[in-house]
């Protein structure tokens, strides 16, 4: 896929478990930046697995995004959070997941 073919196409991109290979983080950041429309939003979720440090992986990827300067990282605590009726992504996911899914997320340190 050539991201340039999808330049400024998406208002929202949802991705999951895309950051397991740190060698692709820069390219992933560039692709998100290219495909998103101005003021577009990328939502990224990761569940991880037993023995895997999700926080380190996610923080590493966020560092790459922030150093590239093409995307802004926001969260539910940010004044720029785009969904006033939803206090945070965590609350949205908590209201959407089954008890079994919540247990998986809790056991792996995901999202």
């Amino acid at each position: 896929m050539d991201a340039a073919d999808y330049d400024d196409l998406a208002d929202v991109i949802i991705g999951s478990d895309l950051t397991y290979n740190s060698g692709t983080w820069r390219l992933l950041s560039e692709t998100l930046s290219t495909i998103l429309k101005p003021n577009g939003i990328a939502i990224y979720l990761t569940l991880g697995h037993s023995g895997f440090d999700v926080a380190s992986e996610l923080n590493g990827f966020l560092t790459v995004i922030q150093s590239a300067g093409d995307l802004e990282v926001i969260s539910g605590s940010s004044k720029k959070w785009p969904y006033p009726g939803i206090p945070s992504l965590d609350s949205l996911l908590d209201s959407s997941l089954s008890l079994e899914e919540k247990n998986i997320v809790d056991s792996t340190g995901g999202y």
Side-chain angles (χ1 to χ4, degrees), residues 21-60:
N21 181 347
S22 62
T24 64
W25 292 352
R26 185 187 55 75
L27 182 59
L28 178 58
S29 177
E30 291 171 1
T31 300
L32 291 172
S33 179
T34 299
I35 294 173
L36 281 172
K37 291 180 180 178
N39 298 312
I41 296 171
I43 298 173
Y44 179 70
L45 307 169
T46 184
L47 292 178
H49 51 80
S50 179
F52 183 73
D53 188 353
V54 172
S56 292
E57 177 185 308
L58 186 56
N59 289 335

Side-chain angles (χ1 to χ4, degrees), residues 58-105:
L58 186 56
N59 289 335
F61 178 57
L62 292 176
T63 298
V64 169
I65 286 175
Q66 291 168 330
S67 67
D70 296 329
L71 297 170
E72 180 181 9
V73 177
I74 61 171
S75 67
S77 60
S78 169
K79 290 181 181 178
K80 293 185 178 186
W81 179 248
Y83 306 108
I86 302 169
S88 70
L89 184 56
D90 286 346
S91 67
L92 173 63
L93 293 172
D94 283 342
S95 67
S96 303
L97 298 175
S98 70
L99 180 58
E100 182 180 5
E101 291 165 329
K102 287 178 187 179
N103 290 336
I104 292 169
V105 170

